[in-house]
Amino acid sequence: MAGRASRATARRPSRAAGRAEPAGLKQPLSLPPILSNLRLPMIGAPLFIVSNPSLVIAQCTSGVVGSFPALNARPAEKLDEWLHEVTEALAAYDRAHPDAPAAPFAVNQIVHRSNDRFEHDMAVCAKWKVPIVITSLGARTELNDAVHGWGGITLHDIIDDRFARKAVEKGADGLIAVAAGAGGHAGRWSPFALVHEIRRWFDGPLILSGAIATGGAILAARAMGADLAYIGSPFIATPEANSSDAYKQGIVEASAADIVNTDLFTGVHGNYLRSSIIASGLDPDALAAGNVDTMKFGSEGSNKSKAWRDIWGSGQGIGAVDRVMPAADLVAKLAAEYAAAKARVRV
């Protein structure tokens, strides 16, 4: 365990004071060591219900950051088992591959006040010295301080520049910019606008999320100023994912036109597969408005509803997913596309 925790040592990013902005765009600084030696500049996004130790291990041993939401481990006591499984599997892989060790893993923590598991789950993450903690739906200084105390780094997901500034002010090491087209709880803004606004003042680690499903899209994310891409939906269609065969096939068969954006299911706008909404007896073109006050996370689940279980989250990039394939094969495919895209645009 100590060997894996040592990877988390990272230089904290510089921060702009207040809301002042430089005259020109800031150039990204080098990534902290924990994120600098990946096979591809990407993170496998934490997928509610879908991500599990098998998927995370497959992602990390393929050379990219794997992650899962802490709330996926149910009951809460299972989180300790999951972190033991992931930590030991990656340590064993590193011993067998000293020249090409596995990428680090991340755990996603929902910081929303309704998450009654938050304190418990953070204590378990502290026990295992989780290298990367991804925070969502709220930023807390004490969480960032705790993760830094055990040598980890924090990445906070945001949907606009205002929330980005708040996250950095509270000590987040990096930002995950969730743009329009992302799966699940999605942002509203174009990735071009979102990355541009953040890079005017922030030169720390910046990860871009939103319909990224090919190696070419990873390169495009880097070209516009992001350090890493955040990829989720394509991993739903892998054998390792905790998703039904119908869900996997739905991802394979659908395209951007099959994604519905609504706040009905959790109170926050998100993107979902049209076919799953229809299968639940609802009209995707006549959905009622949601209520953010009904959003609930923790031991009783999200809103005690069918959201995320029978209503399937998905991003707009799934038109690039044409078959179910192992996670390692998907990473290899993305790597080949990334290399081809770099060769194609070289001038």
Side-chain angles (χ1 to χ4, degrees):
M1 182 171 65
R4 300 210 63 77
S6 65
R7 290 181 178 173
T9 302
R11 174 191 54 74
R12 299 288 296 279
S14 62
R15 294 168 171 80
R19 297 189 62 84
E21 294 181 349
L25 293 178
K26 280 198 170 187
Q27 293 300 312
L29 297 178
S30 60
L31 285 171
I34 193 173
L35 295 174
S36 297
N37 296 308
L38 305 176
R39 179 183 182 184
L40 272 176
M42 62 164 279
I43 294 174
L47 304 166
F48 193 53
I49 296 179
V50 172
S51 298
N52 58 18
S54 294
L55 180 57
V56 169
I57 292 166
Q59 290 169 326
C60 293
T61 55
S62 298
V64 301
V65 176
S67 67
F68 67 85
L71 291 175
N72 279 11
R74 294 177 183 271
E77 292 70 26
K78 189 176 286 290
L79 180 59
D80 184 72
E81 298 175 20
W82 279 25
L83 289 177
H84 180 271
E85 179 181 354
V86 171
T87 301
E88 291 302 312
L90 298 186
Y93 182 89
D94 288 356
R95 290 192 295 270
H97 304 83
D99 297 328
F105 72 95
V107 172
N108 177 216
Q109 292 284 9
I110 300 296
V111 187
H112 191 266
R113 63 184 179 277
S114 69
N115 181 9
D116 58 7
R117 282 182 43 173
F118 176 77
E119 297 296 339
H120 169 274
D121 291 351
M122 281 298 296
V124 178
C125 286
K127 172 185 175 181
W128 290 99
K129 295 182 171 60
V130 171
I132 304 168
V133 174
I134 297 170
T135 53
S136 305
L137 297 175
R140 295 193 191 181
T141 301
E142 61 271 25
L143 180 151
N144 294 313
D145 291 344
V147 176
H148 297 150
W150 72 64
I153 66 170
T154 59
L155 306 174
H156 187 71
D157 65 16
I158 53 87
I159 59 171
D160 60 31
D161 187 70
R162 180 171 65 91
F163 285 119
R165 291 176 185 271
K166 288 184 176 181
V168 171
E169 288 170 1
K170 292 187 177 183
D173 296 290
L175 299 169
I176 300 169
V178 183
H185 291 152
R188 297 175 294 167
W189 310 131
S190 159
F192 294 97
L194 190 55
V195 170
H196 175 84
E197 291 186 2
I198 293 171
R199 276 297 185 222
R200 286 181 63 85
W201 59 272
F202 182 66
D203 57 9
L206 179 59
I207 299 92
L208 179 62
S209 171
I212 301 175
T214 66
I218 297 173
L219 184 62
R222 297 198 70 194
M224 72 173 72
D227 296 295
L228 305 172
Y230 206 57
I231 299 181
S233 298
F235 285 103
I236 297 170
T238 62
E240 296 90 348
N242 181 32
S243 50
S244 67
D245 290 341
Y247 193 175
K248 298 181 202 291
Q249 197 57 36
I251 294 291
V252 170
E253 294 176 354
S255 63
D258 299 302
I259 303 302
V260 176
N261 184 273
T262 178
D263 63 354
L264 170 63
F265 304 113
T266 67
V268 177
H269 274 91
N271 286 323
Y272 305 89
L273 277 178
R274 175 178 290 268
S275 60
S276 68
I277 297 174
I278 294 173
S280 294
L282 299 172
D283 181 354
D285 297 315
L287 296 175
N291 183 349
V292 71
D293 293 332
T294 67
M295 183 168 57
K296 181 167 182 59
F297 298 91
S299 57
E300 296 183 1
S302 174
N303 207 23
K304 294 185 179 180
S305 73
K306 293 184 177 181
W308 309 105
R309 186 180 68 243
D310 298 331
I311 306 295
W312 299 332
S314 177
Q316 294 177 358
I318 54 173
V321 182
D322 58 7
R323 64 189 183 279
V324 175
M325 66 173 70
D329 291 350
L330 174 56
V331 173
K333 176 176 178 287
L334 292 169
E337 293 171 346
Y338 183 74
K342 288 177 69 175
R344 186 169 59 247
V345 301
R346 186 176 295 133
V347 294

